[in-house]
Amino acid sequence: MKKRYWNTNSEIKQTERLLHERKELIDQAENYLQYREYHKAYKQTKPKKQEDYAERYRTELALYDRAERYLKEHLGSDTKLRPKAWKAEVADLTAQKDRLYREMRSLKEEVAEAETVKRCVETVLTDRTIPPTEQRKEKSKTHDVSL
Protein backbone atom coordinates (compact mmCIF):
# COMPACT_ATOMS: atom_id res chain seq x y z
CA MET A 1 0.00 0.00 0.00
CA LYS A 2 2.78 2.39 0.88
CA LYS A 3 4.48 1.69 -2.43
CA ARG A 4 1.26 2.46 -4.32
CA TYR A 5 0.89 5.62 -2.23
CA TRP A 6 4.41 6.82 -3.09
CA ASN A 7 3.97 5.91 -6.78
CA THR A 8 0.76 7.90 -6.88
CA ASN A 9 2.50 10.79 -5.15
CA SER A 10 5.28 10.82 -7.75
CA GLU A 11 2.70 10.64 -10.55
CA ILE A 12 0.96 13.68 -9.07
CA LYS A 13 4.22 15.63 -8.99
CA GLN A 14 4.98 14.72 -12.59
CA THR A 15 1.46 15.69 -13.68
CA GLU A 16 1.66 19.01 -11.85
CA ARG A 17 5.04 19.78 -13.44
CA LEU A 18 3.70 19.02 -16.91
CA LEU A 19 0.56 21.04 -16.16
CA HIS A 20 2.66 24.03 -15.10
CA GLU A 21 4.77 23.77 -18.27
CA ARG A 22 1.70 23.66 -20.52
CA LYS A 23 0.08 26.63 -18.77
CA GLU A 24 3.26 28.67 -19.18
CA LEU A 25 3.44 27.65 -22.84
CA ILE A 26 -0.15 28.79 -23.36
CA ASP A 27 0.49 32.12 -21.60
CA GLN A 28 3.58 32.81 -23.67
CA ALA A 29 1.83 31.84 -26.91
CA GLU A 30 -1.02 34.22 -26.07
CA ASN A 31 1.48 37.02 -25.34
CA TYR A 32 3.28 36.29 -28.59
CA LEU A 33 0.07 36.47 -30.62
CA GLN A 34 -1.24 39.50 -28.75
CA TYR A 35 1.89 41.63 -29.10
CA ARG A 36 3.06 40.44 -32.52
CA GLU A 37 1.47 43.45 -34.21
CA TYR A 38 3.53 45.83 -32.07
CA HIS A 39 6.69 44.03 -33.13
CA LYS A 40 5.70 44.15 -36.82
CA ALA A 41 4.92 47.85 -36.57
CA TYR A 42 8.26 48.45 -34.85
CA LYS A 43 10.14 46.67 -37.63
CA GLN A 44 8.23 48.64 -40.29
CA THR A 45 8.88 52.08 -38.80
CA LYS A 46 11.69 54.15 -40.19
CA PRO A 47 14.99 53.88 -38.31
CA LYS A 48 14.77 57.49 -37.07
CA LYS A 49 11.35 56.87 -35.49
CA GLN A 50 12.05 53.35 -34.16
CA GLU A 51 13.51 54.67 -30.92
CA ASP A 52 10.41 56.74 -30.18
CA TYR A 53 8.15 53.80 -31.04
CA ALA A 54 10.21 51.46 -28.86
CA GLU A 55 10.00 53.92 -25.96
CA ARG A 56 6.24 54.34 -26.32
CA TYR A 57 5.53 50.58 -26.52
CA ARG A 58 8.37 49.29 -24.37
CA THR A 59 6.20 46.94 -22.28
CA GLU A 60 4.46 45.37 -25.26
CA LEU A 61 7.72 44.84 -27.13
CA ALA A 62 9.40 43.38 -24.05
CA LEU A 63 6.52 40.93 -23.54
CA TYR A 64 6.70 39.94 -27.20
CA ASP A 65 10.47 39.40 -27.05
CA ARG A 66 10.18 37.33 -23.88
CA ALA A 67 7.41 35.21 -25.36
CA GLU A 68 9.38 34.70 -28.58
CA ARG A 69 12.50 33.58 -26.69
CA TYR A 70 10.49 31.26 -24.45
CA LEU A 71 8.69 29.67 -27.38
CA LYS A 72 11.89 29.17 -29.37
CA GLU A 73 13.51 27.56 -26.36
CA HIS A 74 10.63 25.25 -25.48
CA LEU A 75 9.22 24.38 -28.88
CA GLY A 76 12.50 23.57 -30.55
CA SER A 77 12.04 22.58 -34.19
CA ASP A 78 8.23 22.54 -33.88
CA THR A 79 7.49 26.20 -34.56
CA LYS A 80 3.73 25.84 -34.90
CA LEU A 81 1.67 27.25 -32.04
CA ARG A 82 -1.17 25.00 -30.89
CA PRO A 83 -2.90 26.78 -28.00
CA LYS A 84 -6.18 24.88 -28.48
CA ALA A 85 -4.42 21.52 -28.29
CA TRP A 86 -2.43 22.70 -25.27
CA LYS A 87 -5.62 23.87 -23.53
CA ALA A 88 -7.22 20.48 -24.16
CA GLU A 89 -4.10 18.84 -22.73
CA VAL A 90 -4.31 21.11 -19.66
CA ALA A 91 -7.93 20.04 -19.15
CA ASP A 92 -6.93 16.37 -19.41
CA LEU A 93 -4.00 16.85 -17.03
CA THR A 94 -6.21 18.66 -14.53
CA ALA A 95 -8.71 15.81 -14.60
CA GLN A 96 -5.88 13.30 -14.20
CA LYS A 97 -4.44 15.28 -11.27
CA ASP A 98 -7.84 15.39 -9.54
CA ARG A 99 -8.26 11.63 -10.02
CA LEU A 100 -4.78 10.99 -8.61
CA TYR A 101 -5.47 13.18 -5.58
CA ARG A 102 -8.69 11.25 -4.87
CA GLU A 103 -6.77 7.97 -5.21
CA MET A 104 -4.04 9.26 -2.93
CA ARG A 105 -6.55 10.30 -0.25
CA SER A 106 -8.15 6.85 -0.29
CA LEU A 107 -4.71 5.19 -0.13
CA LYS A 108 -3.79 7.43 2.78
CA GLU A 109 -6.90 6.31 4.64
CA GLU A 110 -6.14 2.65 3.86
CA VAL A 111 -2.56 3.03 5.08
CA ALA A 112 -3.79 4.69 8.29
CA GLU A 113 -6.24 1.83 8.89
CA ALA A 114 -3.54 -0.76 8.20
CA GLU A 115 -1.15 0.99 10.61
CA THR A 116 -3.85 0.95 13.31
CA VAL A 117 -4.46 -2.77 12.76
CA LYS A 118 -0.71 -3.39 12.80
CA ARG A 119 -0.30 -1.58 16.13
CA CYS A 120 -3.21 -3.50 17.64
CA VAL A 121 -1.80 -6.83 16.47
CA GLU A 122 1.65 -5.93 17.80
CA THR A 123 0.11 -5.00 21.16
CA VAL A 124 -1.76 -8.29 21.36
CA LEU A 125 1.33 -10.29 20.35
CA THR A 126 3.49 -8.42 22.86
CA ASP A 127 0.97 -9.07 25.62
CA ARG A 128 0.96 -12.80 24.82
CA THR A 129 4.74 -13.12 24.84
CA ILE A 130 5.11 -11.55 28.30
CA PRO A 131 4.21 -13.99 31.11
CA PRO A 132 1.11 -12.98 33.14
CA THR A 133 3.13 -12.30 36.33
CA GLU A 134 5.36 -9.81 34.54
CA GLN A 135 2.29 -8.15 33.02
CA ARG A 136 0.93 -7.57 36.55
CA LYS A 137 4.28 -6.13 37.66
CA GLU A 138 4.34 -3.77 34.68
CA LYS A 139 0.78 -2.67 35.38
CA SER A 140 1.54 -2.05 39.04
CA LYS A 141 4.66 -0.07 38.12
CA THR A 142 2.66 2.17 35.83
CA HIS A 143 0.05 2.54 38.57
CA ASP A 144 2.70 3.50 41.15
CA VAL A 145 4.26 6.01 38.78
CA SER A 146 0.97 7.70 38.11
CA LEU A 147 0.30 8.28 41.84
Side-chain angles (χ1 to χ4, degrees):
M1 273 190 263
K2 284 184 180 180
K3 187 175 182 179
R4 277 192 355 220
Y5 176 82
W6 291 114
N7 288 340
T8 303
N9 191 24
S10 65
E11 258 187 271
I12 287 172
K13 288 179 183 179
Q14 183 179 2
T15 303
E16 286 178 338
R17 183 185 49 76
L18 191 57
L19 189 61
H20 175 73
E21 289 174 3
R22 288 297 179 250
K23 284 182 178 180
E24 184 65 25
L25 199 59
I26 290 168
D27 290 343
Q28 293 302 329
E30 287 174 351
N31 282 345
Y32 178 82
L33 295 172
Q34 181 179 356
Y35 299 117
R36 182 171 44 184
E37 295 303 318
Y38 290 97
H39 182 73
K40 282 183 182 178
Y42 171 73
K43 291 292 184 184
Q44 292 173 355
T45 58
K46 294 182 181 179
K48 291 182 180 180
K49 295 183 180 184
Q50 272 187 343
E51 191 175 317
D52 291 336
Y53 187 88
E55 188 63 36
R56 191 173 339 140
Y57 297 107
R58 180 185 322 181
T59 305
E60 290 84 355
L61 291 172
L63 287 170
Y64 172 83
D65 288 339
R66 182 178 183 275
E68 185 179 38
R69 278 192 313 274
Y70 183 89
L71 292 171
K72 280 182 182 178
E73 182 180 319
H74 287 84
L75 290 179
S77 62
D78 183 23
T79 58
K80 192 168 186 177
L81 299 179
R82 297 181 177 94
K84 288 182 183 179
W86 296 332
K87 287 179 182 179
E89 189 176 354
V90 164
D92 291 343
L93 289 170
T94 303
Q96 180 181 353
K97 182 182 85 166
D98 293 342
R99 179 188 56 79
L100 288 169
Y101 268 115
R102 283 192 302 274
E103 184 179 326
M104 192 164 127
R105 275 187 233 110
S106 69
L107 283 171
K108 193 173 186 178
E109 291 171 3
E110 286 179 34
V111 168
E113 287 176 19
E115 290 291 331
T116 304
V117 169
K118 179 182 170 188
R119 272 185 262 127
C120 291
V121 168
E122 286 174 349
T123 303
V124 168
L125 290 176
T126 304
D127 287 348
R128 286 187 177 177
T129 57
I130 299 174
T133 55
E134 288 184 30
Q135 284 180 3
R136 281 190 225 123
K137 287 180 184 176
E138 285 182 24
K139 287 181 183 177
S140 65
K141 285 181 184 177
T142 57
H143 181 68
D144 292 342
V145 172
S146 63
L147 289 177

